[in-house]
Amino acid sequence: MIICSAALLITDPASFLPALSDGAKKGLDTAIALFVIYAVWMGLSEVAEESRLTARISALIKKPITAIFRTKDEAAAEDIAMNVSCNLLGIGGAATPYAVRAIDRLEKQQNHFAQNLLFIINATSIQLFPATVIAIRSSAGSSAAYDIALPSLLATAISTGCAVCLFLISERLSGRKKP
Amino acid sequence: MKYILPLIFLSVIAYAVFRRVNVFAAYSRGVGNAIKFTLQLVPVLICVFIMCQLFEVSGLSAALTRALSPVFSALGVPQELTRLVLIKPFSGSGSLAFLTQVLSENGADSYISRCACVLYGSSETVFYIYAVYFARCRQKRRLIPVAIILFSTTLSTICACLLCRIM
């Protein structure tokens, strides 16, 4: 931020304050756009939770998750399970609230390993089907909008796989193994 | 494909009705949680966007794009897409705007457009996720994970461009 401000001082000092307020406005606009998405999905996920549907879905994949993330917290494992399922389905808006809640729960046990792993998985984008991009592409008049699905899947698999491997290696090297 | 989302909604609600849950009350409680959740995010979002705006307006972003496009094109990433690779980690809406621009300029079925689509679909807004996830954590220094993610994303960018050539 300091570098940016310094560069701006030299090139165009008059645009400094407008840039700050434009940024703030964009941030607020994004927050509102996100709120709309979160409202829709968190409403649905509350319904799913109330009917014990989430508990059922995550019961299927909770075992491997507690092992991979090295956590014993059932509630956090359930959130991670839902986050991963939503990501795979390509509904990122539904996935984020689960991830943040899982991170908060893991913070209480100081489980940085699980937090970082969850962050890595989310930030390298795991998605079975890139629905948004395909929708944009077919509306731009593509004749075969679906042909990017396979390369996208391979590319995300490469980035997620590579990141997880590197992270596990770095954890082993630093020797900070958490129970 | 367009049936998936309505089906998810319908089946969740049908299951809840079957389990005798008050769907309306539960849904509005969820929306209430969303309000609290978003309010916690607002300060972080505003700060992140102010920094992005400074980065953009100061010309550093353009300078970086110019400086890096020979590097990227040597790695097989088309020069036109350097900007997309650079803004995607920071801004989802910015890169989406750029993606639609690329699609309309080059035609949806050109190599550049397909490549742009795969790049967009296979990467995430890393710094934005970082800010949102760890907004309430005490330990903020997570250099190793961020470095790993950036490295892997670059790797998959190169692979994506290669894959688009063959497939």
Side-chain angles (χ1 to χ4, degrees):
Chain A
M1 186 162 185
I2 298 168
I3 305 170
C4 293
S5 321
L8 202 56
L9 270 183
I10 300 161
T11 53
D12 190 6
S15 61
F16 183 67
L17 195 61
L20 290 186
S21 34
D22 276 0
K25 188 176 180 310
K26 273 191 194 167
L28 200 59
D29 285 348
T30 313
I32 293 170
L34 283 176
F35 167 69
V36 174
I37 300 169
Y38 291 153
V40 168
W41 285 109
M42 285 173 82
L44 190 71
S45 69
E46 186 76 22
V47 174
E49 234 153 83
E50 185 97 359
S51 60
R52 313 263 318 126
L53 186 63
T54 40
R56 287 205 167 182
I57 295 172
S58 53
L60 297 173
I61 42 177
K62 218 188 303 191
K63 268 263 156 59
I65 280 179
T66 43
I68 295 168
F69 284 86
R70 299 183 195 153
T71 173
K72 292 193 184 72
D73 186 341
E74 292 271 307
E78 197 173 289
D79 284 338
I80 294 173
M82 290 313 291
N83 166 262
V84 173
S85 342
C86 290
N87 266 326
L88 288 175
L89 285 172
I91 29 184
T96 315
Y98 282 117
V100 173
R101 207 163 62 179
I103 295 266
D104 283 350
R105 285 193 166 131
L106 294 165
E107 175 80 359
K108 283 185 197 118
Q109 312 144 28
Q110 291 292 302
N111 191 340
H112 295 307
F113 172 83
Q115 285 182 331
N116 289 343
L117 188 56
L118 187 64
F119 169 49
I120 282 180
I121 290 178
N122 276 278
T124 51
S125 148
I126 39 164
Q127 207 179 69
L128 292 179
F129 189 77
T132 326
V133 183
I134 288 177
I136 293 168
R137 202 158 165 244
S138 58
S139 71
S142 167
S143 56
Y146 286 84
D147 71 350
I148 56 152
L150 190 59
S152 298
L153 182 62
L154 288 176
T156 50
I158 290 169
S159 66
T160 310
C162 166
V164 171
C165 289
L166 282 176
F167 178 63
L168 291 177
I169 294 171
S170 81
E171 279 293 304
R172 188 136 311 167
L173 285 180
S174 65
R176 279 181 299 141
K177 278 186 105 177
K178 286 263 165 83
Chain B
M1 266 350 220
K2 59 191 170 204
Y3 297 111
I4 288 185
L5 282 183
L7 271 180
I8 293 176
F9 265 82
L10 262 182
S11 45
V12 168
I13 290 173
Y15 184 77
V17 170
F18 170 70
R19 295 288 301 250
R20 298 184 185 286
V21 169
N22 185 340
V23 176
F24 186 82
Y27 201 97
S28 44
R29 202 156 353 104
V31 175
N33 291 341
I35 295 176
K36 271 182 257 161
F37 181 69
T38 322
L39 275 182
Q40 285 168 334
L41 290 184
V42 170
V44 184
L45 279 177
I46 290 184
C47 292
V48 169
F49 273 82
I50 289 178
M51 283 196 269
C52 290
Q53 189 74 16
L54 275 181
F55 187 60
E56 188 74 25
V57 173
S58 65
L60 276 185
S61 157
L64 203 62
T65 310
R66 268 198 306 279
L68 284 178
S69 48
V71 182
F72 275 121
S73 59
L75 292 168
V77 181
Q79 278 195 350
E80 296 90 327
L81 300 182
T82 313
R83 216 178 123 67
L84 178 65
V85 177
L86 285 180
I87 51 176
K88 180 76 208 223
F90 294 96
S91 152
S93 51
S95 49
L96 189 60
F98 186 73
L99 176 68
T100 40
Q101 191 193 326
V102 168
L103 282 174
S104 64
E105 273 171 15
N106 297 282
D109 289 322
S110 65
Y111 167 69
I112 298 277
S113 298
R114 294 181 58 219
C115 206
C117 284
V118 175
L119 285 185
Y120 182 88
S122 63
S123 61
E124 269 294 342
T125 47
V126 178
F127 292 103
Y128 166 75
I129 292 183
Y130 175 80
V132 169
Y133 279 22
F134 297 124
R136 274 172 293 160
C137 290
R138 248 178 287 129
Q139 194 208 356
K140 303 266 184 196
R141 295 178 71 87
R142 286 161 203 267
L143 283 178
I144 293 176
V146 172
I148 288 174
I149 289 165
L150 290 181
F151 174 78
S152 316
T153 308
T154 319
L155 185 72
S156 83
T157 302
I158 297 164
C159 294
C161 296
L162 257 177
L163 285 169
C164 280
R165 255 175 242 267
I166 7 178
M167 294 169 100

